[in-house]
Amino acid sequence: MPERDLKQVEAVLSGRPAPDPAAWRRVRAELASRAGAEGLVDVAFERHDSPLGSILIGATHEGLVRIGLPTEDEDEVLAELARRISVRVLGAPRGSVTEARRQLDEYFDGRRTSFALPLDWQLTRGFRRDVLRATAQIPYGRTASYREVATQAGRPAAVRAAGTALATNPLPIVVPCHRVLRTGGAIGSYRGGAEAKARLLDLEHSA
Amino acid sequence: MQARTRSIATTTRHPLGLPPFARVVEDHGPALLRFCAARVGHERSEDCFQETMLAALRAYRDVHDPSAIRTWLFSIAARKAIDAHRASARLHQPTDDIEAIAVGEDPAVRDEALWDDVRSLPDKQGRAVTLRYRADLTYAEIAQVMETSEPAARRNVFEGLKRLRKDTDHART
């Protein structure tokens, strides 16, 4: 019967080829490298395994622009990058990200006490950027108080605003906001969780 | 504070909130790859897919309507598939051998043979059938991709199916 045959044709067409995750990964990686080679990727990112968990490392052509800690949702971080920098965000290789991964590995191994990486500060501005630049000057293994970084940034009374700047640090670990403690030495809060902050401080004290 | 704000020269902010392109690749990439495979065959499907995605990425910042991303991508893929067809038209083999395989036992081989028949359909019908069954687009979406009306999209799918049924009958006799 013609009617039934039409249904058969439809049934065959509706069948799904078995998904092949390995092939998909390969195709996606090739797209990333071709897009990168053509200069079509404004923000390239990779995920990197660290002792804190998997972190996201994003870079523009200028330099490292965002480090996402394991507590942060990847979709939200990528949406923020799309909204604030460019929608051309792609998981793609980039020299500065590769170099950041290498230096982070050394840091977590206790073999590196400062980072030498190009940074793109565009996700922070004004007083917040001043606070983070002051924070970037705190040496490895040392700590400062929120009041001290507020003073360094030029507004000694803006302790609370300094706290906000540190809480929204787009480049944690590399810009060491974990080295800023409450007056009196209480550990204070951290975007990646107080436990991660304590862990970074321990690492720097024991290395 | 204003003076400190760096201008974003090479990039564009989007008022309507386009998703990051990485999201687009994850959400629509697998269906686009399936569509390409159905339209140009497995051998050339990856080229078709890469051409589609690179073209999409080049133009992505100018997309105005985030809700139309899916149909926009399939429009690009359909064009790339036609380009690939034109490039290889001379090499196209007659389908007699494939139809002979169509009566075979292996369902995978039979399904592949049917998709070969889809590729031999008139272009509009073949595209419509593929968008419907490989990419799971609605008739409204197919109409958008093919720049036609929804009834016309339905008709293209239906006419395509009828012709495929004839081909199948023919192969079985």
Side-chain angles (χ1 to χ4, degrees):
Chain A
M1 290 274 104
E3 187 63 23
R4 202 167 128 220
D5 282 349
L6 211 55
K7 287 251 183 326
Q8 282 174 349
V9 169
E10 256 194 305
V12 173
L13 291 175
S14 300
R16 275 283 153 274
D20 184 347
W24 171 240
R25 276 197 297 276
R26 181 172 47 73
V27 168
R28 193 176 50 183
E30 194 194 326
L31 171 63
S33 89
R34 286 177 68 171
E38 261 196 59
L40 297 172
V41 183
D42 294 331
V43 187
F45 72 92
E46 286 183 63
R47 296 213 68 100
H48 181 68
D49 286 330
S50 81
L52 300 180
S54 170
I55 59 180
L56 181 147
I57 305 173
T60 63
H61 292 288
E62 287 212 24
L64 224 56
V65 75
R66 184 73 162 87
I67 290 179
L69 293 169
T71 47
E72 296 186 81
D73 180 69
E74 177 171 311
D75 276 346
E76 279 175 28
V77 173
L78 298 183
E80 176 203 13
L81 294 171
R83 198 173 57 246
R84 296 189 58 190
I85 302 177
S86 164
V87 292
R88 303 209 300 197
V89 178
L90 196 61
R94 178 154 294 173
S96 57
V97 174
T98 308
E99 182 56 24
R101 296 180 65 162
R102 195 180 67 77
Q103 294 192 19
L104 282 163
D105 280 345
E106 291 174 351
Y107 169 80
F108 282 113
D109 280 352
R111 290 184 287 123
R112 174 173 285 278
T113 58
S114 68
F115 293 98
L117 294 165
L119 301 185
D120 181 339
W121 292 86
Q122 70 170 294
L123 290 178
T124 181
R125 58 189 59 158
F127 179 65
R128 290 186 185 182
R129 190 187 288 188
D130 294 342
V131 169
L132 292 171
R133 283 198 185 275
T135 302
Q137 303 304 314
I138 307 169
Y140 184 89
R142 306 271 288 278
T143 60
S145 67
Y146 289 95
R147 185 172 300 281
E148 281 165 338
V149 289
T151 305
Q152 276 298 311
R155 286 170 59 190
V159 177
R160 189 175 289 269
T164 307
L166 295 162
T168 56
N169 178 10
L171 293 163
I173 307 174
V174 171
V175 174
C177 58
H178 59 276
R179 291 176 197 153
V180 184
L181 309 179
R182 288 190 199 287
T183 307
I187 193 157
S189 59
Y190 190 58
R191 196 179 207 167
E195 198 182 318
K197 187 172 185 175
R199 191 156 178 181
L200 292 173
L201 291 168
D202 279 353
L203 166 81
E204 295 187 9
H205 279 293
S206 55
Chain B
M1 273 196 14
Q2 201 60 30
R4 289 178 186 279
T5 307
R6 183 205 304 250
S7 71
I8 301 168
T10 58
T11 56
T12 310
R13 294 180 199 203
H14 208 285
L16 289 171
L18 278 183
F21 196 74
R23 188 74 258 158
V24 172
V25 173
E26 292 306 315
D27 287 350
H28 306 296
L32 284 162
L33 186 55
R34 280 202 304 271
F35 173 81
C36 288
R39 289 311 284 153
V40 304
H42 280 288
E43 242 170 70
R44 288 175 299 152
S45 63
E46 292 187 12
D47 279 343
C48 175
F49 173 82
Q50 301 291 353
E51 291 301 319
T52 298
M53 283 318 234
L54 289 170
L57 179 52
R58 278 182 216 114
Y60 187 55
R61 290 181 298 187
D62 301 322
V63 169
H64 291 297
D65 180 4
S67 68
I69 289 173
R70 186 170 150 88
T71 52
W72 172 68
L73 289 168
F74 280 102
S75 309
I76 299 172
R79 278 199 299 279
K80 295 297 176 189
I82 291 169
D83 292 349
H85 264 296
R86 284 187 184 142
S88 71
R90 290 162 301 172
L91 303 172
H92 193 70
Q93 298 296 310
T95 56
D96 292 351
D97 294 348
I98 292 158
E99 283 184 312
I101 298 168
V103 294
E105 300 291 308
D106 184 352
V109 172
R110 183 201 60 190
D111 295 1
E112 256 328 290
L114 187 56
W115 281 104
D116 283 328
D117 290 344
V118 173
R119 281 192 283 283
S120 306
L121 288 174
D123 182 63
K124 277 185 183 176
Q125 295 175 10
R127 249 192 301 163
V129 165
T130 310
L131 289 168
R132 181 77 190 98
Y133 294 103
R134 257 312 180 244
D136 295 324
L137 262 58
T138 64
Y139 288 109
E141 289 174 323
I142 296 169
Q144 264 188 48
V145 170
M146 297 184 60
E147 292 175 334
T148 182
S149 69
E150 198 174 323
R154 273 180 200 281
R155 207 158 47 239
N156 280 324
V157 172
F158 183 67
E159 295 299 324
L161 290 179
K162 276 206 312 202
R163 200 182 283 249
L164 286 171
R165 183 192 62 196
K166 279 188 202 144
D167 288 353
T168 312
D169 290 346
H170 170 72
R172 282 184 181 136
T173 49

